[in-house]
Amino acid sequence: MAAQIVENEEPQLPQILIHRLPSFDLPFKAQLVTRFRLIDPYASSDPTAFFSSPQAQSVRVLLPVGPSPVTADTLRCLPSLQCVIGSSAGVDHIDLAECRRRGIAVTNAGSAFSEDVADYAVGLLIDVLRRLSAADRYVRSGSWPVKGEYPLGSKLGGKRVGIVGLGSIGYEIAKRLEAFGCSIAYNSRKKKPSVLFPFHENVCSLAANSDVLIICCALTNETHHLINKDVMTALGKEGVIINIGRGALINEKEMVQFLVQGEIKGAGLDVFENEPNVPKELFELDNVVLSPHRAVLTPESFTTLYEVVMANLDAFFSNKPLVSPVDLE
Amino acid sequence: MEAIGVLMACPMSAYLEQELEKRFKLYKFWNFPQKNDFLKDHSHSIRAIVGNASAGADAEMIDALPKLEIVSSYSVGLDKIDLVKCKEKGIRVTNTPDVLTDDVADLAIGLALATLRKICACDRYVRSGAWRKGDFKLTTKFSGKSVGIIGLGRIGSAIAKRAEAFGCPISYYTRTERPDVKYKYYPNVLELASNCQVLIVACPLTPETRHIINREVIDALGPKGVLINVGRGPHVDEPELVSALVEGPAGWGWARCV
């Protein structure tokens, strides 16, 4: 095992195993290395060698970078693992069932990304309704002086917004859209007693009573293809979908058909089922705004993420309750 | 009784034309290539002008229509109407306040988000196929950024209300300080620009506010600042802005809707 994969040889410091796809870098490595002994097998030419080494037997904390997958196979190589410190908004890349079975705690990014994602969702919605990107293309192509006025968009205020998944991101979106005069309703796994927005038992009912559906729930086996043709039919021809969750929350093939045939009015999409591949039919449409999975990505959110990761690490190593544990039940 | 002559300055709404035609003798100015002859021939019957943000009633037109009693603008802004001349001649002027407020405010925030988070650039990036070769760069957060608003009328206030929901501290400049308002006041645009990260123009266009955004203000806003203009084009010294954007360091942003 190459010695250079261990950062900070100070033996007293607690040890963290970094887990990442080779193309990902740990954004706050410089800060972590002052407090922890970091093991980064992916810095060596043969990362798998680490996992069969004696050192792997004593690893207690795993830090996957972004959406780097944490599979049952990886977990099996780490018999002493007690905690996975997630560093991305979602946790669908972590085998949660295996973690539950082994009694391994998992933490997520908490609300580190919530404001940025909410901002982005609102930005996508205004763009779709008011045709900002399409109008931007129109002006840049030189059409404005030649073809004249651009077609009207549609008003945001007064729209009924249905939020699918009222977690911290959904809540931040609701707070912002209320200031624009939108009315909010939601669907979640369970009704939230402290929330005054109307609750819908299922997504179809929410869609039938909304002009806009914003998808911001976690991707799980239950929510896979949650938004399908039934939901989109209920939403109707004037409906708009904004997806800042995960691509697989929507049956993408059905959605593309609905958009191409004008069965829904438009969509703002930051995520897709098979990134970075985007269905080419969408490129022909002016009523769709496309984004390359950027909703979380600002330097400010990384700073907040670092704080959450540090807080969870400190809590774990001092045997205190974790700051943003994922409910594995 | 002779029908009241109404002159519509430019095409603006088929519905409006239809309704005006039911009630008045409507003249569509753009259908008359010889404008001066038209005005001479109909000066006895035109008692009203309907204008909008693009075309209104300048001094020459007002002088040519001695029977003119009202200029009714299908807009909020009145910068295309010679207000001084109207006042002199006792001609009434009306606009359409409130109806546009929400939409303009929505757009201002939409443009700020689109600029800071590079939404339009992201859309272009995906459509060009570039995403398959690599990720788009980081953008910068909107929530919590300080927002400075020039003009705190209906539109400016509506923009402030929305920006507050994003946790943005609000400051403003108006000709006189507003004691009823909780936001921070700056007595001039330069100080406002120096103390905010997103500067939004939402005041009327008048001779005083023409080029209110000049090179000095642009420099005060700084290379990390963003300018949003939902007022009128002439609020901004455009050649200066363009040179600042083109020559300036990356990170400059600007979005405009007029």
Side-chain angles (χ1 to χ4, degrees):
Chain A
M1 187 177 67
Q4 68 264 28
I5 72 168
V6 181
E7 308 257 359
N8 191 340
E9 288 281 4
E10 181 56 52
Q12 254 77 293
L13 291 181
Q15 181 175 269
I16 303 174
L17 177 61
I18 307 295
H19 181 68
R20 60 185 178 91
L21 291 170
S23 53
F24 285 0
D25 265 318
L26 185 59
F28 28 79
K29 190 155 92 164
Q31 293 97 312
L32 282 179
V33 98
T34 61
R35 300 275 315 277
F36 302 96
R37 199 160 162 264
L38 301 183
I39 306 173
D40 185 7
Y42 297 90
S44 84
S45 49
D46 182 17
T48 54
F50 170 80
F51 287 95
S52 37
S53 76
Q55 212 175 355
Q57 305 297 307
S58 59
V59 166
R60 294 170 65 207
V61 173
L62 182 72
L63 200 165
V65 176
S68 301
V70 179
T71 62
D73 283 342
T74 305
L75 294 169
R76 249 172 250 133
C77 299
L78 307 167
S80 303
L81 190 64
Q82 291 170 283
C83 189
V84 176
I85 304 278
S87 65
S88 87
V91 288
D92 50 290
H93 56 287
I94 300 174
D95 191 330
L96 298 179
E98 182 69 9
C99 289
R100 181 170 60 242
R101 197 184 66 75
R102 291 263 305 270
I104 298 169
V106 179
T107 66
N108 61 13
S111 59
F113 296 120
S114 302
E115 287 185 342
D116 280 299
V117 180
D119 288 356
Y120 208 73
V122 174
L124 283 176
L125 179 57
I126 300 178
D127 193 325
V128 174
L129 286 174
R130 301 297 296 276
R131 309 166 76 119
L132 288 182
S133 287
D136 183 87
R137 279 197 292 281
Y138 187 79
V139 174
R140 282 178 197 267
S141 69
S143 298
W144 193 14
V146 174
K147 292 196 194 155
E149 295 299 330
Y150 193 72
L152 294 181
S154 161
K155 186 172 177 143
L156 173 57
K159 290 273 187 294
R160 302 166 300 164
V161 173
I163 298 190
V164 181
L166 200 71
S168 84
I169 293 174
Y171 180 73
E172 292 292 327
I173 293 172
K175 192 171 102 181
R176 282 153 176 72
L177 287 177
E178 276 196 305
F180 289 79
C182 295
S183 62
I184 311 286
Y186 73 104
N187 161 259
S188 250
R189 274 169 307 182
K190 291 194 291 270
K191 182 171 176 179
K192 294 177 193 273
S194 57
V195 162
L196 297 176
F197 306 132
F199 171 73
H200 288 259
E201 291 276 350
N202 62 65
V203 183
C204 262
S205 158
L206 181 68
N209 289 281
S210 301
D211 304 305
V212 176
L213 268 191
I214 306 191
I215 319 303
C216 38
C217 56
L219 178 63
T220 64
N221 291 333
E222 290 75 37
T223 61
H224 183 263
H225 283 192
L226 179 68
I227 310 303
N228 55 24
K229 62 182 189 309
D230 294 333
V231 173
M232 289 187 276
T233 304
L235 182 62
K237 283 189 162 42
E238 294 301 306
V240 168
I241 293 180
I242 304 294
N243 189 4
I244 40 86
R246 285 287 179 268
L249 288 165
I250 302 183
N251 184 323
E252 195 163 276
K253 208 153 148 221
E254 286 175 359
M255 177 185 59
V256 170
Q257 235 174 333
F258 268 67
L259 283 164
V260 165
Q261 287 164 3
E263 298 298 324
I264 55 172
K265 186 152 145 189
L269 307 167
D270 184 48
V271 285
F272 302 86
E273 287 209 69
N274 185 21
E275 292 169 15
N277 298 302
V278 173
K280 58 180 177 345
E281 297 91 323
L282 299 181
F283 294 165
E284 309 299 316
L285 301 176
D286 264 353
N287 56 337
V288 176
V289 179
L290 305 168
S291 164
H293 203 153
R294 296 281 98 179
V296 306
L297 282 145
T298 65
E300 293 89 345
S301 72
F302 280 128
T303 305
T304 318
L305 172 66
Y306 168 68
E307 287 162 12
V308 173
V309 165
M310 277 305 303
N312 278 305
L313 286 169
D314 280 341
F316 175 81
F317 284 113
S318 46
N319 291 316
K320 297 211 172 82
L322 297 169
V323 163
S324 54
V326 174
D327 181 3
L328 296 176
E329 293 315 308
Chain B
M1 188 175 93
E2 197 185 323
I4 295 172
V6 173
L7 176 64
M8 189 180 258
C10 65
M12 55 188 80
S13 159
Y15 168 78
L16 191 56
E17 283 174 35
Q18 214 176 297
E19 292 300 309
L20 287 169
E21 270 160 347
K22 284 185 198 160
R23 295 159 173 79
F24 306 105
K25 174 91 183 88
L26 182 67
Y27 298 99
K28 299 176 195 177
F29 203 38
W30 60 97
N31 286 341
F32 298 92
Q34 309 300 334
K35 302 250 179 298
N36 289 330
D37 290 341
F38 164 79
L39 290 174
K40 256 203 273 269
D41 294 340
H42 294 89
S43 61
H44 58 280
S45 66
I46 292 179
R47 291 168 61 188
I49 291 178
V50 171
N52 72 355
S54 313
D58 60 13
E60 209 182 315
M61 186 183 280
I62 294 169
D63 276 334
L65 299 171
K67 301 282 185 196
L68 187 62
E69 295 172 49
I70 178 170
V71 180
S72 182
S73 197
Y74 182 58
S75 73
V76 170
L78 298 169
D79 45 287
K80 290 287 196 276
I81 300 171
D82 190 325
L83 298 174
V84 170
K85 197 85 180 169
C86 288
K87 186 167 178 187
E88 217 178 85
K89 296 196 154 204
I91 296 168
R92 313 296 296 279
V93 177
T94 67
N95 65 351
T96 59
D98 290 335
V99 291
L100 306 173
T101 304
D102 287 338
D103 287 310
V104 178
D106 292 353
L107 192 72
I109 302 293
L111 288 171
L113 284 164
T115 304
L116 282 161
R117 299 302 302 275
K118 300 203 184 334
I119 298 179
C120 301
C122 277
D123 181 272
R124 268 202 304 281
Y125 191 78
V126 176
R127 284 173 196 261
S128 73
W131 192 17
R132 301 171 87 167
K133 306 200 189 99
D135 281 332
F136 194 74
K137 53 196 163 184
L138 289 189
T139 56
T140 181
K141 187 170 183 168
F142 173 61
S143 274
K145 290 246 177 340
S146 51
V147 169
I149 305 178
I150 301 177
L152 208 67
R154 291 179 189 87
I155 294 174
S157 303
I159 292 171
K161 176 172 153 207
R162 285 151 176 74
E164 279 189 299
F166 292 79
C168 297
I170 311 288
S171 51
Y172 72 102
Y173 160 74
T174 48
R175 280 168 305 184
T176 47
E177 187 172 359
R178 302 262 305 270
D180 53 311
V181 146
K182 55 188 166 160
Y183 311 129
K184 178 150 176 65
Y185 174 72
Y186 286 98
N188 59 67
V189 179
L190 211 52
E191 276 189 60
L192 181 68
S194 307
N195 288 285
C196 71
Q197 294 161 295
V198 180
L199 183 62
I200 307 185
V201 182
C203 61
L205 179 66
T206 65
E208 292 75 40
T209 62
R210 184 169 196 283
H211 285 196
I212 197 170
I213 306 298
N214 55 23
R215 187 77 209 205
E216 234 188 317
V217 171
I218 292 167
D219 288 341
L221 183 57
K224 292 211 162 91
V226 166
L227 174 70
I228 304 295
N229 186 7
V230 289
R232 287 285 182 267
H235 274 127
V236 176
D237 184 340
E238 209 160 273
E240 288 290 359
L241 180 70
V242 171
S243 88
L245 286 166
V246 166
E247 297 157 15
W252 252 106
W254 171 69
R256 194 179 87 137
C257 94
V258 287

